[in-house]
Amino acid sequence: MSTFAASHLSPSYPDRAAWGTAPKLRAWQQEAFDLYFRREPRDFLTVATPGAGKTTYALRIASELLANGVIRAITVVTPTEHLKRQWADAAGRVGIAIDPEFKNSQGATSRDYVGVAVTYAQVAMHPALHRARTEARKTMIIFDEIHHAGDAKSWGDGVREAFEPATRRLQLTGTPFRSDDNPIPFVGYEEDAEGLKRSVADYSYGYGPALDDGVVRPVIFLAYSGEMKWRTRAGDEIAATLGTPLTKDQLSQAWRAALDPKGDWIRQVMQAADRRLTEVRRGVPDGGGLVIATDHETARAYARHLRNITGEGATVVLSDDPGASKKIKQFAASQDRWLVAVRMVSEGVDIPRLCVGVYATSTSTPLFFAQAVGRFVRARKRGETASVFLPSVPTLMGLANEMEVERDHVLNKRPPEDGLDDSLLEQANRQKDQPDVLGDELPFETMETSATFDRVLFDGGEFGTGAEIGSAEEEDFIGLPGLLEPDQVATLLRKRQSDQQAKRRQGAAEEPRQSPAPHEQIAELRRELNGLVGAWNHRTGQPHGVIHAELRRACGGPPIAQATAEQIQERIDLIRRWASQRR
């Protein structure tokens, strides 16, 4: 194949390639590129994990099609304004002039440009205009994060109308699945054995293979539980422990309390995250951290906490800030420690030096979680690791354990039997000044919150036995080196857990404590087992009853209501062994 303009792009533009990949395309990029030109398709869906290098891959294809005269123009469609400029910068590096400032009111752009970058919302507002532009010249459409075309019926209809006459359409996504049944335009679906329609990718490159190839970083999830206390609208005071079995309402309220900047939980977790960032920067000197907040008010409050913790200011990026793109660009090029954002950098934005994250939002859809974690996985050199701090919420724990699972978009899927309903969290997190909330009162008032270290999740396994904030046990995991290969991470985590368990056994032998009453001991063991079963349900999709039945079959004994403390403990030990083994 001919040498063309994009051949000098780094495989992981805009930063340098992962170890062992430059100056050629990465193996997956070359394989997908070759497949594309063998088929010469009109539509081609490429699913590649965040951080794998989809921009470089797409521009190499576009450059070749332009050079061969197959196309004469390019339209890049993105979810956000910032990504329009990011694509224009990348295209400019390879001699493709893209106008990121194109407005619908213009009707046309300068002849200096080969194409334009627009948002899905922009297309939906005037699909006829974009259809006319597409028909005027042989045009290639590059859909960045194509799943966004299904965000609203009007968006999907607009995208179909505008780009149906395109010569070529290249769909890109790191997360093809959606949380709803809206079909994604120009994506094919096939019926599976259960009668559900699943999206079909022409080429897929998941997180697991990318991790094996050294293209992305391994992600260590550090989960924190803790005590929450709040006052309801009726004046009742309620206390709950995050990380223990709770009803959906209790969990959404406890989660809200944990993220409340007025409480100690979020401050303590950010302190721990900053200590982790300090450790990471020993091996990655420019390593940065990102706090993903729920709304503007809490984002600003988190930034104040970080100033108190670090002694320096944090960059705050808000979705309605006209200078957001400039702030992101400046932070990416600096050595500043922390960035706080509301959704703005949850998807597509490239800040390769981000190594530590705090998931301080109540959004719990698989799509948002995967895109948020994707901000930390872009590898620049061999051995870099990513660390994400999150609350001990079953939904998030399940998603963290499923990092390597590849998903498809499924239409007409059945609702889950259990799990946390995002609508409850959205309701709990509504700001009091919103017009659809009656009166000025909040759903509840946070009174006290405190954090405790719960466990580490990595590669489908769980490590650690819980510890107080600032304890030596917590420091064992926060102090992990920032430069480790994936197998070294797993080995070190197992060793740290083994050492902790040995210390606890020794301490228990030296300082015997008064045993709790039998009914208290059994109740505590039941709570622990139910919590583990809930986490295993989110990881595997098995119903709670099936998991309990399998534990009972393997360990023997009666149902949990009649089981002895010893029998319950045996089931706890078994399910923990399941969790510590690679899937």
Side-chain angles (χ1 to χ4, degrees):
M1 192 151 295
S2 63
T3 302
F4 44 92
S7 61
H8 68 275
L9 255 188
S10 158
S12 61
Y13 180 86
D15 210 81
R16 63 191 181 88
W19 179 86
T21 60
K24 298 179 180 179
L25 283 178
R26 290 171 173 160
W28 85 262
Q29 293 169 328
Q30 189 66 56
E31 187 175 53
F33 177 90
D34 292 343
L35 179 62
Y36 182 91
F37 283 100
R38 281 200 305 272
R39 292 184 180 179
E40 293 287 344
R42 187 182 183 197
D43 287 293
F44 194 88
L45 172 60
T46 302
V47 177
T49 189
K54 292 186 289 295
T55 303
T56 293
Y57 156 75
L59 289 173
R60 291 286 286 266
I61 289 177
S63 296
E64 184 74 3
L65 293 174
L66 284 169
N68 293 342
V70 177
I71 60 172
R72 298 296 183 190
I74 298 171
T75 297
V76 180
V77 191
T78 75
T80 67
E81 291 288 329
H82 175 78
L83 290 178
K84 287 164 49 176
R85 299 175 182 89
Q86 187 168 288
W87 271 92
D89 289 344
R93 292 283 189 95
V94 299
I96 300 176
I98 297 292
D99 180 7
E101 306 297 338
F102 176 79
K103 304 288 192 299
N104 286 350
S105 58
Q106 293 174 223
T109 188
S110 167
R111 287 185 296 176
D112 290 337
Y113 294 111
V114 175
V116 300
V118 295
T119 64
Y120 289 100
Q122 190 176 345
V123 172
M125 290 174 64
H126 202 334
L129 166 69
H130 295 280
R131 184 183 183 96
R133 294 190 67 260
T134 302
E135 290 175 328
R137 291 192 291 174
K138 293 188 295 184
T139 303
M140 177 185 191
I141 314 298
I142 299 175
F143 294 103
D144 187 19
E145 305 299 351
I146 181 64
H147 54 273
H148 278 286
D151 278 357
K153 187 177 185 299
S154 62
W155 285 24
D157 292 343
V159 165
R160 287 188 185 90
E161 179 184 346
F163 303 123
E164 189 279 328
T167 302
R168 294 290 177 91
R169 290 182 292 253
L170 178 61
Q171 298 99 356
L172 307 173
T173 181
T175 46
F177 51 96
R178 294 183 52 80
S179 303
D180 54 37
D181 281 348
N182 291 338
I184 304 170
F186 307 123
V187 168
Y189 291 85
E190 290 183 356
E191 193 170 295
D192 64 12
E194 299 177 354
L196 302 174
K197 290 185 176 181
R198 294 184 176 273
S199 60
V200 179
D202 296 285
Y203 186 88
S204 294
Y205 185 63
Y207 175 78
L211 185 63
D212 292 339
D213 292 344
V215 169
V216 295
R217 298 170 179 151
V219 183
I220 305 167
F221 292 96
L222 297 100
Y224 281 73
S225 54
E227 299 297 322
M228 310 298 147
K229 188 176 181 181
W230 64 90
R231 182 181 290 114
T232 68
R233 185 175 299 173
D236 298 327
E237 292 185 4
I238 299 178
T241 301
L242 201 64
T244 61
L246 300 171
T247 66
K248 289 181 179 180
D249 285 327
Q250 288 174 332
L251 181 54
S252 64
Q253 303 264 340
W255 192 349
R256 163 75 189 275
L259 301 182
D260 192 331
K262 295 191 295 291
D264 286 336
W265 188 92
I266 188 63
R267 179 184 56 79
Q268 292 169 335
V269 169
M270 286 195 292
Q271 277 183 324
D274 189 67
R275 297 204 312 274
R276 176 65 186 150
L277 181 59
T278 296
E279 182 60 44
V280 167
R281 284 169 77 115
R282 298 182 196 279
V284 187
D286 68 338
L290 166 65
V291 180
I292 300 177
T294 297
D295 56 50
H296 293 188
E297 184 180 347
T298 55
R300 295 187 181 97
Y302 292 164
R304 291 193 290 271
H305 279 320
L306 287 170
R307 177 178 283 280
N308 293 333
I309 292 168
T310 67
E312 59 184 71
T315 299
V316 180
V317 175
L318 306 176
S319 54
D320 59 358
D321 183 356
S325 290
K326 184 178 179 181
K327 286 183 178 180
I328 292 172
K329 211 168 185 177
Q330 288 174 340
F331 180 84
S334 73
Q335 293 204 3
D336 295 346
R337 290 179 74 87
W338 284 98
L339 173 70
V340 183
V342 181
R343 286 186 175 270
M344 184 70 186
V345 292
S346 67
E347 181 174 52
V349 174
D350 287 305
I351 309 176
R353 69 185 190 89
L354 288 178
C355 295
V356 177
V358 179
Y359 194 86
T361 174
S362 55
T363 305
S364 61
T365 61
L367 174 62
F368 184 85
F369 185 85
Q371 289 289 358
V373 174
R375 299 316 96 214
F376 307 97
V377 301
R378 181 183 295 280
R380 299 180 300 173
K381 65 180 180 180
R382 199 77 178 184
E384 288 183 346
T385 60
S387 306
V388 177
F389 289 69
L390 44 76
S392 290
V393 173
T395 307
L396 299 184
M397 305 286 271
L399 294 173
N401 269 322
E402 295 168 358
M403 269 291 290
E404 296 184 28
V405 177
E406 294 183 17
R407 288 183 174 86
D408 300 310
H409 182 214
V410 182
L411 298 180
N412 305 316
K413 54 184 175 288
R414 291 178 291 275
E417 295 180 4
D418 49 31
L420 189 64
D421 186 350
D422 279 350
S423 64
L424 289 173
L425 286 166
E426 291 172 6
Q427 182 179 3
N429 279 281
R430 278 190 265 181
Q431 297 179 5
K432 65 180 180 180
D433 57 350
Q434 288 184 316
D436 58 342
V437 178
L438 297 176
D440 292 330
E441 49 194 356
L442 291 167
F444 64 89
E445 177 190 356
T446 302
M447 298 179 65
E448 297 176 27
T449 65
S450 62
T452 54
F453 173 74
D454 186 5
R455 70 192 95 162
V456 166
L457 297 92
F458 177 72
D459 195 22
E462 299 182 2
F463 307 87
T465 54
E468 295 299 317
I469 291 286
S471 65
E473 290 88 350
E474 181 201 29
E475 200 61 37
D476 279 346
F477 295 104
I478 287 181
L480 290 170
L483 289 175
L484 289 171
E485 294 293 316
D487 58 337
Q488 294 174 322
V489 174
T491 299
L492 195 51
L493 286 172
R494 283 193 291 268
K495 184 178 186 306
R496 296 278 165 97
Q497 175 166 272
S498 176
D499 291 345
Q500 285 188 3
Q501 290 172 336
K503 287 179 183 177
R504 292 196 175 194
R505 286 194 296 269
Q506 181 180 358
E510 293 175 354
E511 299 181 19
R513 295 179 296 175
Q514 182 177 355
S515 299
H519 72 278
E520 293 175 334
Q521 181 185 13
I522 290 177
E524 178 61 33
L525 288 171
R526 285 176 183 168
R527 282 195 295 271
E528 183 178 358
L529 178 59
N530 287 331
L532 292 169
V533 167
W536 192 252
N537 157 261
H538 284 287
R539 175 174 166 182
T540 65
Q542 291 179 293
H544 290 226
V546 172
I547 301 169
H548 277 293
E550 177 61 21
L551 289 169
R552 183 183 172 192
R553 186 196 63 76
C555 299
I560 187 172
Q562 289 84 45
T564 65
E566 183 179 356
Q567 290 168 331
I568 299 172
Q569 184 62 56
E570 187 178 359
R571 297 176 197 182
I572 289 171
D573 293 341
L574 176 59
I575 196 169
R576 283 196 178 278
R577 285 199 299 274
W578 290 352
S580 65
Q581 295 169 353
R582 182 181 175 89
R583 190 166 35 253

